[in-house]
């Protein structure tokens, strides 16, 4: 995010695999070039119910998480990680992470889906507008670039809301499937001590899916705040402009920071567990 930009922080576009324990957004495309930050939530599969995980979590301080956020998140929404992803959801939950393959930048441009191209065009126009504010380019060019950037942002936000809705439908469908299995298993009269392994796995899977749905709802709220903010610029709305834009921008920043905080916390937790195992 440019420090001179008038836009609030934008949600990094990341993909989600059904095997991840802490993911926030899933792609509805089979292959997708991503805009990610250094910390990738797909890399971490941590069972928060395990005793050793809970013990390790207590050793991570808030100060450590904030320090990692400030150190590693600079320019996170401007850099490509060029990766080939697997289909985000399948009939069976996969535990194998998609293998990332580096590709030329031109290949990324040619084969990237429209949402990613919108993000790229948005970032480029945003940079041009910032250079204009710094006096490096003319005001007329800067004004046109800012208008183009706002339109790209509006369209990418609308696309993001559509994707978010599709992702939540997938998650809710999987939740219903797991809940159905748990209900059938509960009818067998199994006690807590005699629970079969499949039941315990389903309970963990349901908790994971509910957490994914929670972060998808956070992402949806963030996108709605972005939509409100950018609509004032695109459609030149005046009623309550300053107050509403300030509220929407602050709310979007808080929601984005909450996601980023949780992501970095899990990164530190995974590192701690790996070093002690």
């Amino acid at each position: 995010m440019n420090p001179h930009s008038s836009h609030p922080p934008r949600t990094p576009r990341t993909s989600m695999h059904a095997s991840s324990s802490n993911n926030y957004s899933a792609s509805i495309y089979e292959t997708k070039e991503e805009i990610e930050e250094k910390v990738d939530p797909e890399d971490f599969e941590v069972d928060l119910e395990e005793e050793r995980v809970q013990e390790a979590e207590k050793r991570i301080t808030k100060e450590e998480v904030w320090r990692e956020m400030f150190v590693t998140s600079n320019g996170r929404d401007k850099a490509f990680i060029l990766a080939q992803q697997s289909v985000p959801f399948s009939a069976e939950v996969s535990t194998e992470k998609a293998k990332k393959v580096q590709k030329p930048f031109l290949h990324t441009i040619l084969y990237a889906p429209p949402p990613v191209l919108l993000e790229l065009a948005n970032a480029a126009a945003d940079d041009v507008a910032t250079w204009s504010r710094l006096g490096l380019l003319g005001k007329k060019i800067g004004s046109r670039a800012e208008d183009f950037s706002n339109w790209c942002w509006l369209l990418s936000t609308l696309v993001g809301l559509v994707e978010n809705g599709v992702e939540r439908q997938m998650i809710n469908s999987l939740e219903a499937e797991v809940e159905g299995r748990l209900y059938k298993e509960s009818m067998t009269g199994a006690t807590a001590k005699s629970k079969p392994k499949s039941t315990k796995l389903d309970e963990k899977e349901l908790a994971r899916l509910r957490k994914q749905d929670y972060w998808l709802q956070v992402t949806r709220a963030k996108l709605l705040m972005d939509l409100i903010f950018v609509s004032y610029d695109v459609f030149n709305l005046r009623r309550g402009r300053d107050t509403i834009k300030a509220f929407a921008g602050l709310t979007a920043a808080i929601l984005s920071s909450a996601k980023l905080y949780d992501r970095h916390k899990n990164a530190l937790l995974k590192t701690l567990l790996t070093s002690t195992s």
Side-chain angles (χ1 to χ4, degrees):
M1 187 70 192
N2 281 319
H4 297 279
S5 173
S6 60
H7 299 158
R10 297 169 188 167
T11 306
R13 301 185 65 82
T14 56
S15 68
M16 178 173 69
H17 297 277
S19 61
S20 301
S21 62
N22 186 24
N23 297 303
Y24 313 111
S25 177
S27 171
I28 60 175
Y29 302 94
E30 291 189 355
T31 56
K32 175 180 180 180
E33 308 302 335
E34 299 176 288
I35 297 178
E36 297 179 327
E37 62 184 17
K38 183 178 179 180
V39 178
D40 184 352
E42 294 175 7
D43 293 335
F44 314 112
E45 187 172 357
V46 178
D47 185 359
L48 297 178
E49 300 300 323
E50 289 186 10
E51 184 176 346
R52 72 185 189 97
V53 174
Q54 294 176 349
E55 186 64 28
E57 190 174 11
K58 294 177 182 178
R59 297 166 56 185
I60 300 175
T61 64
K62 295 180 180 179
E63 290 76 11
E64 288 178 307
V65 180
W66 282 106
R67 184 175 64 247
E68 285 299 310
M69 286 173 64
F70 288 124
V71 168
T72 61
S73 64
N74 293 331
R76 63 186 178 273
D77 63 344
K78 296 293 177 66
F80 276 101
I81 300 301
L82 310 179
Q84 181 179 7
Q85 300 295 338
S86 64
V87 178
F89 296 99
S90 57
E92 298 181 358
V93 177
S94 173
T95 58
E96 182 179 358
K97 186 174 178 280
K99 191 182 224 180
K100 294 186 176 181
V101 180
Q102 296 295 329
K103 298 177 182 178
F105 182 74
L106 181 59
H107 182 279
T108 301
I109 297 297
L110 293 176
Y111 292 92
V116 177
L117 294 177
L118 277 173
E119 291 283 347
L120 181 59
N122 187 1
D126 200 22
D127 286 338
V128 172
T130 300
W131 294 338
S132 175
R133 294 191 192 99
L134 294 173
L136 301 177
L137 294 173
K139 292 184 179 180
K140 189 174 182 180
I141 294 177
S143 177
R144 290 181 177 177
E146 186 169 5
D147 290 341
F148 180 75
S149 175
N150 287 333
W151 273 105
C152 288
W153 188 12
L154 176 68
L155 293 174
S156 64
T157 301
L158 291 174
V159 171
L161 286 169
V162 172
E163 286 185 340
N164 184 272
V166 173
E167 292 155 17
R168 287 204 64 205
Q169 287 181 358
M170 293 178 178
I171 289 290
N172 292 336
S173 176
L174 290 174
E175 281 186 48
E177 182 180 335
V178 175
E179 287 173 347
R181 289 201 302 266
L182 286 173
Y183 176 77
K184 291 180 181 179
E185 292 164 359
S186 67
M187 297 301 290
T188 62
T191 63
K193 293 184 178 180
S194 63
K195 279 185 180 179
K197 185 177 180 181
S198 60
T199 300
K200 295 180 180 179
L201 291 175
D202 280 339
E203 288 175 348
K204 289 184 178 181
E205 175 69 2
L206 183 60
R208 182 184 63 78
L209 290 171
R210 285 174 175 171
K211 186 173 184 179
Q212 288 181 348
D213 187 54
Y214 168 79
W215 285 113
L216 284 172
Q217 292 182 60
V218 172
T219 298
R220 182 175 180 270
K222 164 65 168 60
L223 289 171
L224 287 174
M225 292 300 104
D226 285 347
L227 183 62
I228 293 172
F229 188 98
V230 74
S231 293
Y232 270 84
D233 291 329
V234 170
F235 303 111
N236 199 25
L237 303 177
R238 296 297 177 187
R239 188 179 181 86
R241 180 184 181 90
D242 293 339
T243 301
I244 294 178
K245 284 188 67 176
F247 173 78
L250 178 61
T251 304
I254 292 173
L255 293 173
S256 183
S257 297
K259 292 172 57 178
L260 191 60
Y261 180 92
D262 188 77
R263 199 171 299 152
H264 280 277
K265 181 180 177 181
N266 278 276
L268 289 173
L269 181 59
K270 179 66 176 181
T271 300
L272 184 61
L273 290 172
T274 303
S275 62
T276 57
S277 60

